[in-house]
Amino acid sequence: MNKFLPLAAISLVLAVSCAGPARKEVRSSDRVESLLSKMTLDEKVGQLVLFTSDWSVTGPSMRQGYIDDIRAGRCGNIFNAYTAEYTRKLQEIAVNETRLGIPLLFGYDVIHGFRTVFPINLGISASWDIDAVEESARIAAREAAAAGLHWTFSPMCDICVEPRWGRVSEGAGEDPLLGSRISAAMTRGYQGGDLSDPSTVLACIKHYAAYGAPQAGRDYNTVDMSERWLREFYLPPYKAAVDAGALSVMASFNELDGVPATANYHLMQEILRDEWGFQGFVVTDYTGINEMVCHGYAADEADAGRLAINAGIDMDMQSAAFFNYLKEQVESGAVSRKTLDRAVRRVLNVKEALGLFDDPFRYCSEEREASETLTDANKAFARKLASESMVLLKNDGVLPLVKGEKVAVIGSLAASRDDLLGTWRAAGEVDKVPASILDAIREYNGAANVVYAEGCKEQGDDRSGFAAALAAAKRAKKVVMVIGENCHWSGEAASRSDIRIPGVQSELLEKIAATGKPVAVVLLNGRPLDLSAESETAGAILEAWYPGTMGGYAAADVLYGEYNPSGKLSITFPRNLGQVPVYHYAKNTGRPYVHPEAKYESRYLDVPNEPLYAFGHGLSYTSFDYSDITLSRPIFAENGSLTASVTVTNTGAVAGTETVQLYIRDLVGSVTRPVKQLKDFARVTLGPGASETVTFTIGRETLSFWRQDMTFGPEPGDFKLFIGGASDAVKEAEFDYAE
Ligand code: GLC
């Protein structure tokens, strides 16, 4: 029996909630206001409580009794529970056994696929294929929604230049523009054009804000940066997701400028709502409220809860601070009824936008669950995206491999299916991974033409397998060595103080290379690594990240040239940890290193300033030539623009895809400006000998930045413009902007 008003009421919230640019606080429907007026204090607090089920626990604590809490109307939201059957079971308790029957909201970390697992997000971002990024989120949403889920804790929008941080694997790398395009695309993919469509899910912008800049790269550690640096380089991807219509935000664990994000009014109200017009709800991260006691920002959990809701937090993930103390705080006036009702209204608005008041069971469909997941189409897409995500870092000609040639495959990771799924694999299961990289090479090349030796594990110092690996190498024409990190060495709570290849894998690589056999290294890893040693010994290095369910076949597709690699790094790979942080939008300094023998310039004594592999770097099995840049005019004014064009030619023998990148440099500003900033990019696919002219438009928005007075806009002056296939391989031009 439907206890709520008819569908008409939903249109108001939908029309506003999922439209384009975010608007100010939305007025609720009559249905929501009517419901709110009937709710008791306990029932209102219940809507602000989010507890994990005991299906999978993604944080440090788990409380028993969540089903009793649902039945008592004191828990209105559950995460880490899925399948149509189980979500229906819990939903029936909420709808049929509580006084008002308000439907539950089911959330889960679907961040790079649900049952069909795509590459980790750092890999997906290396594809630079925004349409494919959006499609991956569409497929993930369809599979998740078919399993009873309404809400995914994604996109992860945290900019990061810190390879020690394990969660760099979950994001889109170092660049605010690429990160913004990706977070907006994922939001569109998840939410679609109609959030009540049972094949879409609510997106959640996380982890707001600047979680990706922990000091020393240690997870959960202190974040401190200027407001200008925050706005210029870290906030854009969050805002892009808000502008794309995302209706939930997750506060990050970290403090920022001394105030934990979980109670940071400047972030949660002044920027997120007052400036950006966000109108959804804000949820904490896992026990984020309680952790403010450890931060030294709250005296106790009750105080933490009060600080959080008064700063703009609407929902408490797993702290139980709202569950335990909020009712009394409202009764005592420590938290106003207006604040409480505002939070409840935001949550109810989203539940209505999802269509849950019209049909609480619209997402519980065993038929869809069976028909929508792990389809051949989903797997084919996953295979293509995985190939597109791979980055050819080096190739002296050892790749592509030639079918029928005897190849030795070495490394424990070559035979691993589990590691292909990476971290945060949602409902991805190893037994649904059809092939390891070794299996796929055997299928490609014929098992008789492949000899495998584990050689060593991806960690530890056991060298007992070295002899067999060397023997295998000597029997082959070429060697493929799959090395890197165990997939649990990145992700949450997985920071490393050393970013070199773990264990004795590199030692074995060196011995294998010493046999004189051509060696191609395939990397499985979740962070930029120090590959200085491997870049000297391997003939080719293919960065495969953790490529997902179809990653074994995708790697073989690239190794054998079935797919010509097109990936480009979305994050800089340093020569060593000593260079970190190193990124493409660096400042010039007052003593740039321009004279090789000079002493008093900004340099190292032991390594060059340049990273090992630059942002935007990625090779192909073909080659691309760039013409000089043609500008439509040498200067443009206020509301005008100019265009910059290059002709890209495929000068090789095979078709390939190139990501053409546009950077600019503002030579003089009211604050110092980066030597390069990515401002646009375009993917072009060209057959052998073919050419295409790529044209970018530069307007005042392109040149805008946070000026010394903290206003956002351009400044007149001289500019450099760069276009190329990597941030360190560009053609150059100059133009002026006049106001
Ligand atoms: C975790 C993560 C967050 C995730 C949440 C729920 O601690 O920080 O990314 O969405 O808890 O699993």
Side-chain angles (χ1 to χ4, degrees), residues 50 52 56-60 79-80 107-111 152-154 156 158 167 170 204 206-207 211 219-220 250-253 284-287 291 317 424 492:
L50 172 63
T52 181
S56 68
V57 180
T58 50
F79 66 117
N80 293 334
Y108 193 48
D109 292 283
V110 183
I111 76 168
T152 178
F153 303 132
S154 177
M156 191 272 212
D158 305 332
R167 305 199 75 169
E170 302 173 39
C204 183
K206 77 182 187 184
H207 306 81
Y211 179 35
D219 206 355
Y220 317 120
M250 183 184 294
S252 56
F253 290 119
T284 71
D285 202 340
Y286 205 110
T287 62
E291 292 166 16
M317 180 192 287
W424 292 110
E492 184 170 359

Short mmCIF file of all heavy atoms in Angstrom, two decimals, residues 50 52 56-60 79-80 107-111 152-154 156 158 167 170 204 206-207 211 219-220 250-253 284-287 291 317 424 492, ligand 1:
data_model
loop_
_atom_site.label_atom_id
_atom_site.label_comp_id
_atom_site.label_asym_id
_atom_site.label_seq_id
_atom_site.Cartn_x
_atom_site.Cartn_y
_atom_site.Cartn_z
N LEU A 50 23.32 6.17 8.93
CA LEU A 50 23.77 5.24 7.89
C LEU A 50 24.66 4.19 8.56
O LEU A 50 25.71 4.52 9.12
CB LEU A 50 24.55 5.97 6.81
CG LEU A 50 25.26 5.15 5.74
CD1 LEU A 50 24.26 4.35 4.90
CD2 LEU A 50 26.10 6.04 4.83
N THR A 52 26.49 0.18 8.28
CA THR A 52 26.90 -0.87 7.37
C THR A 52 26.16 -2.16 7.73
O THR A 52 25.86 -2.40 8.89
CB THR A 52 28.42 -1.11 7.41
OG1 THR A 52 28.75 -2.13 6.47
CG2 THR A 52 28.90 -1.55 8.80
N SER A 56 29.90 -6.73 4.23
CA SER A 56 31.33 -6.40 4.07
C SER A 56 31.55 -5.14 4.86
O SER A 56 30.73 -4.24 4.86
CB SER A 56 31.70 -6.17 2.60
OG SER A 56 31.09 -5.01 2.09
N VAL A 57 32.63 -5.11 5.61
CA VAL A 57 32.88 -3.98 6.49
C VAL A 57 34.05 -3.19 5.93
O VAL A 57 35.12 -3.74 5.73
CB VAL A 57 33.18 -4.48 7.92
CG1 VAL A 57 33.44 -3.29 8.85
CG2 VAL A 57 32.00 -5.29 8.44
N THR A 58 33.82 -1.93 5.63
CA THR A 58 34.84 -1.13 4.92
C THR A 58 35.46 -0.09 5.84
O THR A 58 35.84 0.98 5.41
CB THR A 58 34.19 -0.41 3.71
OG1 THR A 58 33.01 0.25 4.18
CG2 THR A 58 33.83 -1.40 2.63
N GLY A 59 35.48 -0.41 7.12
CA GLY A 59 36.08 0.55 8.05
C GLY A 59 36.40 -0.14 9.38
O GLY A 59 36.22 -1.35 9.51
N PRO A 60 36.84 0.64 10.35
CA PRO A 60 37.40 0.07 11.58
C PRO A 60 36.38 -0.48 12.57
O PRO A 60 36.74 -1.11 13.54
CB PRO A 60 38.16 1.25 12.19
CG PRO A 60 37.49 2.46 11.65
CD PRO A 60 36.99 2.09 10.29
N PHE A 79 24.52 0.64 4.09
CA PHE A 79 25.47 0.43 3.00
C PHE A 79 26.13 -0.94 3.15
O PHE A 79 26.00 -1.59 4.19
CB PHE A 79 26.50 1.56 2.91
CG PHE A 79 27.46 1.71 4.06
CD1 PHE A 79 28.83 1.55 3.87
CD2 PHE A 79 27.02 2.04 5.33
CE1 PHE A 79 29.73 1.73 4.92
CE2 PHE A 79 27.91 2.22 6.39
CZ PHE A 79 29.27 2.06 6.18
N ASN A 80 26.79 -1.37 2.08
CA ASN A 80 27.44 -2.68 2.04
C ASN A 80 26.44 -3.82 2.12
O ASN A 80 26.74 -4.88 2.67
CB ASN A 80 28.47 -2.82 3.17
CG ASN A 80 29.64 -1.89 2.98
OD1 ASN A 80 29.94 -1.50 1.84
ND2 ASN A 80 30.26 -1.47 4.06
N GLY A 107 23.43 2.05 -0.12
CA GLY A 107 24.66 2.57 -0.75
C GLY A 107 25.75 1.53 -0.79
O GLY A 107 25.74 0.56 -0.01
N TYR A 108 26.71 1.73 -1.70
CA TYR A 108 27.82 0.77 -1.84
C TYR A 108 28.93 1.41 -2.64
O TYR A 108 28.67 2.34 -3.44
CB TYR A 108 27.32 -0.49 -2.55
CG TYR A 108 28.24 -1.69 -2.49
CD1 TYR A 108 28.81 -2.11 -1.29
CD2 TYR A 108 28.55 -2.40 -3.64
CE1 TYR A 108 29.65 -3.21 -1.24
CE2 TYR A 108 29.39 -3.51 -3.59
CZ TYR A 108 29.93 -3.91 -2.39
OH TYR A 108 30.76 -5.00 -2.34
N ASP A 109 30.15 0.93 -2.43
CA ASP A 109 31.30 1.49 -3.15
C ASP A 109 31.45 0.84 -4.53
O ASP A 109 32.21 -0.10 -4.71
CB ASP A 109 32.59 1.24 -2.35
CG ASP A 109 32.61 2.05 -1.09
OD1 ASP A 109 32.88 3.26 -1.19
OD2 ASP A 109 32.31 1.49 -0.02
N VAL A 110 30.69 1.35 -5.47
CA VAL A 110 30.80 0.88 -6.85
C VAL A 110 31.64 1.92 -7.56
O VAL A 110 31.12 2.92 -8.08
CB VAL A 110 29.41 0.75 -7.49
CG1 VAL A 110 29.52 0.20 -8.91
CG2 VAL A 110 28.50 -0.12 -6.64
N ILE A 111 32.99 1.76 -7.54
CA ILE A 111 33.79 2.88 -8.02
C ILE A 111 34.46 2.63 -9.36
O ILE A 111 34.79 3.55 -10.09
CB ILE A 111 34.82 3.35 -6.97
CG1 ILE A 111 36.01 2.43 -6.88
CG2 ILE A 111 34.18 3.54 -5.61
CD1 ILE A 111 37.14 3.09 -6.06
N THR A 152 25.88 5.04 -5.12
CA THR A 152 27.27 4.59 -5.14
C THR A 152 28.15 5.67 -4.52
O THR A 152 27.89 6.87 -4.69
CB THR A 152 27.77 4.28 -6.55
OG1 THR A 152 29.16 3.90 -6.45
CG2 THR A 152 27.68 5.49 -7.49
N PHE A 153 29.17 5.25 -3.79
CA PHE A 153 30.09 6.23 -3.19
C PHE A 153 31.19 6.52 -4.21
O PHE A 153 32.33 6.13 -4.05
CB PHE A 153 30.66 5.67 -1.89
CG PHE A 153 29.62 5.28 -0.88
CD1 PHE A 153 29.67 4.06 -0.24
CD2 PHE A 153 28.58 6.13 -0.58
CE1 PHE A 153 28.71 3.69 0.71
CE2 PHE A 153 27.61 5.78 0.36
CZ PHE A 153 27.68 4.56 1.01
N SER A 154 30.80 7.20 -5.24
CA SER A 154 31.65 7.52 -6.39
C SER A 154 30.98 8.64 -7.16
O SER A 154 29.76 8.75 -7.12
CB SER A 154 31.78 6.27 -7.28
OG SER A 154 32.53 6.52 -8.45
N MET A 156 35.19 9.35 -7.03
CA MET A 156 36.27 9.81 -6.15
C MET A 156 37.01 10.90 -6.91
O MET A 156 37.61 10.66 -7.94
CB MET A 156 37.19 8.64 -5.81
CG MET A 156 38.17 8.89 -4.73
SD MET A 156 39.73 9.59 -5.34
CE MET A 156 40.89 8.88 -4.18
N ASP A 158 39.46 13.07 -5.79
CA ASP A 158 40.61 13.62 -5.07
C ASP A 158 41.83 13.75 -5.97
O ASP A 158 42.44 12.76 -6.37
CB ASP A 158 40.95 12.71 -3.89
CG ASP A 158 39.75 12.51 -2.97
OD1 ASP A 158 38.89 13.40 -2.92
OD2 ASP A 158 39.65 11.44 -2.35
N ARG A 167 45.54 5.52 -2.00
CA ARG A 167 44.25 5.82 -2.65
C ARG A 167 44.42 6.63 -3.93
O ARG A 167 43.42 6.92 -4.60
CB ARG A 167 43.33 6.53 -1.65
CG ARG A 167 43.14 5.72 -0.38
CD ARG A 167 41.96 6.11 0.43
NE ARG A 167 40.71 5.63 -0.18
CZ ARG A 167 39.53 5.66 0.45
NH1 ARG A 167 39.43 6.19 1.65
NH2 ARG A 167 38.45 5.19 -0.15
N GLU A 170 42.51 5.22 -6.72
CA GLU A 170 41.05 5.35 -6.85
C GLU A 170 40.63 6.59 -7.61
O GLU A 170 39.45 6.78 -7.87
CB GLU A 170 40.42 5.39 -5.45
CG GLU A 170 40.70 4.20 -4.57
CD GLU A 170 40.18 4.42 -3.17
OE1 GLU A 170 39.08 4.99 -3.02
OE2 GLU A 170 40.87 4.06 -2.21
N CYS A 204 27.93 10.10 -5.56
CA CYS A 204 28.40 10.69 -4.31
C CYS A 204 29.80 11.25 -4.52
O CYS A 204 30.75 10.50 -4.78
CB CYS A 204 28.44 9.64 -3.21
SG CYS A 204 28.92 10.31 -1.61
N LYS A 206 33.24 12.35 -3.66
CA LYS A 206 34.12 12.13 -2.52
C LYS A 206 35.58 12.30 -2.93
O LYS A 206 35.88 12.30 -4.12
CB LYS A 206 33.86 10.74 -1.93
CG LYS A 206 34.46 9.58 -2.72
CD LYS A 206 34.09 8.23 -2.06
CE LYS A 206 34.83 7.09 -2.75
NZ LYS A 206 34.43 5.78 -2.20
N HIS A 207 36.47 12.49 -1.92
CA HIS A 207 36.20 12.72 -0.49
C HIS A 207 36.46 14.21 -0.28
O HIS A 207 37.61 14.65 -0.40
CB HIS A 207 37.16 11.90 0.35
CG HIS A 207 37.14 10.43 0.04
ND1 HIS A 207 37.85 9.89 -1.02
CD2 HIS A 207 36.51 9.40 0.62
CE1 HIS A 207 37.63 8.58 -1.05
NE2 HIS A 207 36.83 8.26 -0.07
N TYR A 211 41.50 15.30 0.19
CA TYR A 211 41.96 14.08 0.89
C TYR A 211 43.21 13.53 0.23
O TYR A 211 44.01 12.84 0.83
CB TYR A 211 40.81 13.09 0.86
CG TYR A 211 40.99 11.73 1.49
CD1 TYR A 211 41.76 11.52 2.62
CD2 TYR A 211 40.34 10.64 0.94
CE1 TYR A 211 41.89 10.26 3.19
CE2 TYR A 211 40.45 9.37 1.50
CZ TYR A 211 41.23 9.19 2.63
OH TYR A 211 41.34 7.94 3.18
N ASP A 219 48.01 7.79 4.64
CA ASP A 219 46.55 7.91 4.60
C ASP A 219 46.03 8.53 5.90
O ASP A 219 46.55 8.25 6.98
CB ASP A 219 45.91 6.53 4.39
CG ASP A 219 44.54 6.64 3.72
OD1 ASP A 219 44.06 7.79 3.52
OD2 ASP A 219 43.94 5.62 3.42
N TYR A 220 45.01 9.35 5.77
CA TYR A 220 44.32 10.03 6.87
C TYR A 220 45.16 11.14 7.49
O TYR A 220 44.71 11.78 8.45
CB TYR A 220 43.92 9.06 8.00
CG TYR A 220 43.33 7.74 7.55
CD1 TYR A 220 43.94 6.53 7.90
CD2 TYR A 220 42.19 7.68 6.76
CE1 TYR A 220 43.41 5.32 7.49
CE2 TYR A 220 41.65 6.47 6.35
CZ TYR A 220 42.27 5.30 6.72
OH TYR A 220 41.76 4.08 6.31
N MET A 250 30.43 13.26 0.05
CA MET A 250 30.99 12.60 1.23
C MET A 250 32.14 13.44 1.77
O MET A 250 33.07 13.77 1.02
CB MET A 250 31.51 11.20 0.90
CG MET A 250 32.03 10.45 2.11
SD MET A 250 32.75 8.85 1.70
CE MET A 250 31.32 7.96 1.13
N ALA A 251 32.07 13.78 3.06
CA ALA A 251 33.14 14.54 3.69
C ALA A 251 34.35 13.64 3.87
O ALA A 251 34.22 12.45 4.11
CB ALA A 251 32.68 15.05 5.05
N SER A 252 35.53 14.24 3.77
CA SER A 252 36.75 13.43 3.87
C SER A 252 37.21 13.31 5.32
O SER A 252 36.81 14.09 6.18
CB SER A 252 37.85 14.08 3.02
OG SER A 252 38.06 15.43 3.41
N PHE A 253 38.09 12.35 5.59
CA PHE A 253 38.58 12.12 6.94
C PHE A 253 39.48 13.24 7.42
O PHE A 253 39.60 13.50 8.61
CB PHE A 253 39.42 10.82 6.97
CG PHE A 253 38.65 9.56 6.79
CD1 PHE A 253 38.91 8.73 5.71
CD2 PHE A 253 37.68 9.17 7.69
CE1 PHE A 253 38.23 7.53 5.55
CE2 PHE A 253 36.98 7.98 7.54
CZ PHE A 253 37.25 7.16 6.46
N THR A 284 29.00 11.81 6.08
CA THR A 284 30.40 11.71 6.54
C THR A 284 31.02 10.47 5.92
O THR A 284 30.34 9.61 5.39
CB THR A 284 30.47 11.53 8.07
OG1 THR A 284 29.99 10.21 8.40
CG2 THR A 284 29.65 12.59 8.77
N ASP A 285 32.34 10.37 6.06
CA ASP A 285 32.97 9.10 5.74
C ASP A 285 32.87 8.22 7.00
O ASP A 285 32.40 8.65 8.05
CB ASP A 285 34.43 9.33 5.28
CG ASP A 285 34.94 8.17 4.45
OD1 ASP A 285 34.36 7.06 4.53
OD2 ASP A 285 35.92 8.36 3.71
N TYR A 286 33.34 7.02 6.87
CA TYR A 286 33.16 5.96 7.86
C TYR A 286 33.67 6.39 9.25
O TYR A 286 34.87 6.60 9.41
CB TYR A 286 33.95 4.74 7.40
CG TYR A 286 33.47 3.41 7.92
CD1 TYR A 286 32.86 2.49 7.07
CD2 TYR A 286 33.64 3.04 9.25
CE1 TYR A 286 32.45 1.25 7.53
CE2 TYR A 286 33.23 1.82 9.72
CZ TYR A 286 32.63 0.92 8.86
OH TYR A 286 32.22 -0.31 9.30
N THR A 287 32.79 6.58 10.21
CA THR A 287 33.10 7.04 11.59
C THR A 287 33.83 8.38 11.59
O THR A 287 34.52 8.72 12.55
CB THR A 287 33.95 6.00 12.35
OG1 THR A 287 35.21 5.84 11.68
CG2 THR A 287 33.24 4.67 12.49
N GLU A 291 35.90 10.44 14.81
CA GLU A 291 37.34 10.66 14.68
C GLU A 291 37.74 12.09 14.99
O GLU A 291 38.92 12.40 15.16
CB GLU A 291 37.81 10.22 13.29
CG GLU A 291 37.71 8.71 13.14
CD GLU A 291 37.84 8.20 11.73
OE1 GLU A 291 38.29 8.97 10.86
OE2 GLU A 291 37.48 7.04 11.47
N MET A 317 27.75 8.42 8.76
CA MET A 317 28.12 7.06 8.39
C MET A 317 28.85 6.41 9.55
O MET A 317 29.99 6.78 9.86
CB MET A 317 29.01 7.05 7.13
CG MET A 317 29.41 5.66 6.70
SD MET A 317 30.72 5.61 5.46
CE MET A 317 29.84 6.15 4.00
N TRP A 424 38.88 -2.10 -4.01
CA TRP A 424 37.50 -1.63 -4.16
C TRP A 424 36.81 -2.28 -5.37
O TRP A 424 36.29 -1.60 -6.24
CB TRP A 424 37.44 -0.11 -4.28
CG TRP A 424 37.81 0.65 -3.06
CD1 TRP A 424 38.93 1.39 -2.86
CD2 TRP A 424 37.07 0.73 -1.82
NE1 TRP A 424 38.93 1.93 -1.61
CE2 TRP A 424 37.81 1.55 -0.94
CE3 TRP A 424 35.87 0.19 -1.35
CZ2 TRP A 424 37.39 1.85 0.36
CZ3 TRP A 424 35.44 0.49 -0.07
CH2 TRP A 424 36.19 1.32 0.78
N GLU A 492 42.64 1.94 0.22
CA GLU A 492 42.58 2.60 1.52
C GLU A 492 43.55 1.96 2.52
O GLU A 492 43.75 0.76 2.51
CB GLU A 492 41.17 2.56 2.09
CG GLU A 492 41.08 3.33 3.42
CD GLU A 492 39.67 3.53 3.91
OE1 GLU A 492 38.73 3.11 3.22
OE2 GLU A 492 39.52 4.15 4.99
C1 GLC B 1 35.70 4.07 3.53
C2 GLC B 1 36.22 5.03 2.49
C3 GLC B 1 35.16 5.60 1.58
C4 GLC B 1 34.03 4.60 1.42
C5 GLC B 1 33.37 4.42 2.77
C6 GLC B 1 32.25 3.39 2.73
O1 GLC B 1 36.38 4.31 4.73
O2 GLC B 1 37.01 6.12 2.94
O3 GLC B 1 35.78 5.92 0.32
O4 GLC B 1 33.09 5.11 0.48
O5 GLC B 1 34.31 4.06 3.78
O6 GLC B 1 32.77 2.13 2.44
#
